[in-house]
Amino acid sequence: MEISRTEDKISAKIKAIRARIDEAKEHDLYFYNQPIEELCGGARVRTQGREMLMFASYSYLSLIGHPKINAAANAAVDRYGTGTHGVRLLAGTLTLHRELEETIAAFKHTDDAVTFSSGYVTNLTAVSTLVGRHDVVICDKLNHASIVDGCLLSGADFVRFRHNDMADLERCLRRADSRATKLVVVDAVFSMDGDIVDLPKTVELCRQYGAWLMVDEAHSLGVLGQTGRGIEEHFGLGNVIDLKMGTLSKTIPSVGGYLAGDRDMVDLFRHASRAFIFSAALPPAQAAAAKAAFEVILEEPERVETLRRNAAHFMGGLKQMGFDTMKTETAIVPVLCGADELAFEMVRYCQRDDIFVLPVVSPAVPEGQARLRATVIAGHTPEEIDRALGVFEKAGKKVGII
Ligand SMILES: Cc1ncc(COP(=O)(O)O)c(C=O)c1O
């Protein structure tokens, strides 16, 4: 007998997404997966034949397309080819991987670092290597999905505290079995809201309750601190985080993720993390690009300062016009719209005026908190920021949110 699949849950999921996409397209409100055809210099890109000003890039220091980084990638292809020979542990480690990891460790002031093929995978493997059944992992409610997935995969008791609420974190730590191994994981900069974790208090609580601390620096590397070294530099705290995680796909214009920390802890990941043992290494071009990018951040420190100035300019302008930019203090600037439709309408008006910005709606953010998630980069000129502000103001008035 043939069993029909047309009414099962997989079919229902496929149909639901199809309907959502089709409806958005019908109303000219589908903005995702827009192909970028080429970089046009500065903060401009060409998409669908039009040159647009980028306000959705994570290349915070505008290092994508930097000549030194491109040259490093090309040279790596000439020397090593385009792939590795397999997984790192067996035949996939190149001298280039070690050089990159030493560069990251020096940049983050740690003994050592290890890299993986994506930031997502790095979080997944970090949490699930460190904790398991009968342990407790404690997370901020707004932590990135990759951390959440790592916690679920680990099988540890998964506890979440209210966003950046240190009293609630303490409550979770106090309630955990005092004999259990405890790991606290937080984002340094929260990816949807742009606000910064209260690191001093988090560190204090972890020490008080004997918990390990892991911090995801996806949006703080190159952004926070005088020299872009991240969250510890921002708070002037020195080396206080047990495990510093970061991506190589945002400020660093490559792909991949890293874990930096104490030598023995890093060696644990090199020999016992499943993403290291069972998945291939970063391709040579990407490893070389990443290494060169860390060097450029130190060689061209003015980029960090320009980014900070640009973020203040953009955020200040939006606030003055009456937009709600939530609690952001960084280069991620949410522009709160409320209902999903308002965010989509805003984006349509902005994109018509050649500002490349995208909406974030539920389930990525809570229902009723749909927003544009604009990002500022060092490559924006003050004139470009003013032009974008003008477009946002016109769109905001049309949609009725200011
Ligand atoms: C906070 C945070 N952590 C981890 C990741 C995953 O990094 P990647 O995109 O490099 O896989 C992201 C990416 O969006 C992120 O925002």
Side-chain angles (χ1 to χ4, degrees), residues 343-354:
F344 287 129
E345 287 285 341
M346 272 293 285
V347 169
R348 182 164 60 183
Y349 286 125
C350 289
Q351 293 216 1
R352 276 184 191 167
D353 278 341
D354 299 330

Side-chain angles (χ1 to χ4, degrees), residues 25 114 177 199 229 260 264 278 339 341:
K25 285 188 173 167
V114 57
D177 183 340
L199 186 67
R229 279 191 162 82
D264 290 341
F278 297 111
E341 302 72 47

Side-chain angles (χ1 to χ4, degrees), residues 55 60 194 223-224 303-319 325 328-333 374-381 385 389:
F55 270 83
Y60 293 118
V223 176
L224 294 185
R303 287 176 184 267
V304 179
E305 184 46 40
T306 307
L307 174 64
R308 224 183 309 280
R309 224 180 18 247
N310 283 354
H313 179 171
F314 186 60
M315 226 180 294
L318 288 171
K319 278 188 186 149
T325 55
T328 183
E329 301 167 70
T330 62
I332 298 171
V333 185
T375 46
V376 183
I377 55 178
H380 288 136
T381 64
I385 293 174
L389 285 170

Side-chain angles (χ1 to χ4, degrees), residues 58 60 117-123 142-147 186-192 216-220 245-250 254-257 332 373:
Y58 291 131
Y60 293 118
S117 56
S118 85
Y120 177 87
V121 153
T122 304
N123 273 334
L142 294 192
N143 275 357
H144 190 259
S146 52
I147 300 173
V186 289
D187 280 353
V189 171
F190 291 90
S191 59
M192 293 294 158
D216 177 334
E217 296 217 63
H219 301 278
S220 69
M245 177 273 171
T247 70
L248 303 174
S249 65
K250 301 186 194 316
S254 182
V255 72
I332 298 171
R373 189 180 43 172

Side-chain angles (χ1 to χ4, degrees), residues 22 59 82 174 202 239 373:
D22 287 349
S59 184
T82 53
R174 206 180 315 115
T202 306
N239 206 358
R373 189 180 43 172

Side-chain angles (χ1 to χ4, degrees), residues 23 28 43 49 67 84 98 105 158 180 185 187 198-199 296 359 362-363 385:
E23 195 192 337
D28 195 20
T84 57
R98 289 304 300 137
F158 180 22
V185 192
D187 280 353
D198 180 349
L199 186 67
V296 171
S362 74
I385 293 174

